[in-house]
Amino acid sequence: MKITDARVFVGGPKKNYVTLKIMTDQGVYGLGDATLNNRETLPAKYLQDYLIPNLIGMDPRNSEDIWQFLYRGAYFRRGPIAMAAYGAIDMALWDIKGKLANMPLYQLFGGKSRDGAMCYAHATGADLEDLMDSVAAYVDEGYKAVRVQCGIPGMPTASYAVPEEKGARNYITDYSGIRPTVEIWDSGKYMRFMPEALMRIRERFGPELHILHDVHHRLTPREAAEFAKAVEPVGLFWLEDPTPADDQDALKLLRRHSTVPVAIGEVFNSIYDCNKLIEQELIDYIRVAVTYAGGITHVKRIVDLAALHHVKTGFHGAPSHSPLCMAAQAHLNAWAPNFGVQEYLVLGTPECDALFPSEHRMENGMVYVSDAPGLGVDFDETEVARYEYQPGSHPVVRLEDGTMWNY
Ligand code: GCO
Ligand code: MG
């Protein structure tokens, strides 16, 4: 069996999804996602100029050897652009494998460990009252887990994930141009407001609701320890990215002062970004995404390592990932003995369903994986032609005195 051709498509509803389609001499094709948020053209170019010419003629069934060829063969290892490109190839090869076996991917991993996978929604509010309404709406829809982000008094522009005017701007991609919007941040204001706000949410919604909160890399290690201690009585499901995760020792201080569960890893792209955090049991949830972290082959290794150290999965599922990445994660979630939760924002819009038809379904805050062979997602090439690439950027963050900070 041979790979005969591969094509890359960039486009989608309100997102520049980067979709790879690998064709074979047996008519079976595979699909993969290489969408690197706000840098979409780069993995697309890497695939087109370097990787696809090498894939032609290879046996698509040898997904492990092809992964090793890509990773070792590049000489310059890791990095989000390369790993997203490998991720798309790897997903497409697993898709082909599943179609050849006539089995959904979770069967190839070891079958189902659960019927549905719990996922969490994003509740946001310009203020606490607004946030309570947003949480209540998700609870009414049946969600058992909700991430809560709130506008901070005195800090009008930089409360992560809270649009200035609600709904006016997508907080993870600003399409007004390639130059980022500047937001102003103050950790003191945040730390004075947020623990009490989280407690009010707990009091209003009771002990059963899983409450998650994302600090989005904004605190120093000492501040993060203080914050984690302050929110301990809330009983959070997790505290995400309390510090920028490239300083892996930072969490030791937090661990000494608090038992709040910690989730990290959405910006990681390799097992070597998180093996220390996992082995030293400094985190409770690993947040990698199948796209950014080199595909199913590599992420499955991370999941297995995590399982040895009581670390559960909490795969990244921001709207930047296409339904292909979400499907790969749905199959891993169905299988993983150490599944924790899934962030879920993508599947289900009519435009997305038309571009990526699938039978994966979401009900009452749970994802139910499709039984179709492979990833269980198709791709409509005529549909994608409706969309043009739109350059966008993440906002950048500065402190009140102008110092550059972490978005
Ligand atoms: C999350 C993340 C995202 C990121 C985004 C950046 O927890 O979902 O923090 O919203 O900001 O993926 O591209
Ligand atoms: Mg996050």
Side-chain angles (χ1 to χ4, degrees), residues 120 122 147 160 214-217 238 240-241 266 287 316 343:
Y120 70 88
H122 285 195
R147 186 189 85 167
Y160 161 72
D214 191 348
V215 185
H216 221 254
H217 328 271
W238 80 32
E240 180 181 343
D241 287 328
E266 65 182 41
R287 292 269 296 137
H316 191 225
E343 182 181 32

Side-chain angles (χ1 to χ4, degrees), residues 267-286:
V267 300
F268 292 169
N269 49 72
S270 156
I271 198 165
Y272 299 108
D273 292 329
C274 50
N275 61 335
K276 182 168 164 186
L277 290 173
I278 292 171
E279 283 158 4
Q280 295 187 10
E281 299 176 6
L282 292 172
I283 57 173
D284 301 278
Y285 295 90
I286 182 69

Side-chain angles (χ1 to χ4, degrees), residues 374-396:
L375 283 170
V377 178
D378 212 343
F379 179 65
D380 188 328
E381 289 180 38
T382 47
E383 215 22 60
V384 78
R386 291 176 44 197
Y387 302 102
E388 264 178 35
Y389 170 69
Q390 247 191 302
S393 57
H394 293 103
V396 294

Side-chain angles (χ1 to χ4, degrees), residues 252-271:
K252 288 183 180 160
L253 190 64
L254 186 155
R255 284 298 214 202
R256 277 206 288 278
H257 291 278
S258 170
T259 55
V260 69
V262 174
I264 277 191
E266 65 182 41
V267 300
F268 292 169
N269 49 72
S270 156
I271 198 165

Side-chain angles (χ1 to χ4, degrees), residues 165-201:
E165 286 168 61
K166 223 175 158 206
R169 177 169 69 77
N170 178 338
Y171 62 87
I172 67 165
T173 300
D174 180 352
Y175 287 114
S176 60
I178 211 77
R179 285 177 189 265
T181 323
V182 180
E183 301 185 339
I184 307 299
W185 171 259
D186 180 67
S187 296
K189 291 192 176 85
Y190 169 76
M191 288 176 59
R192 283 191 294 277
F193 173 76
M194 194 50 84
E196 174 63 24
L198 290 170
M199 197 43 135
R200 297 265 307 279
I201 295 166

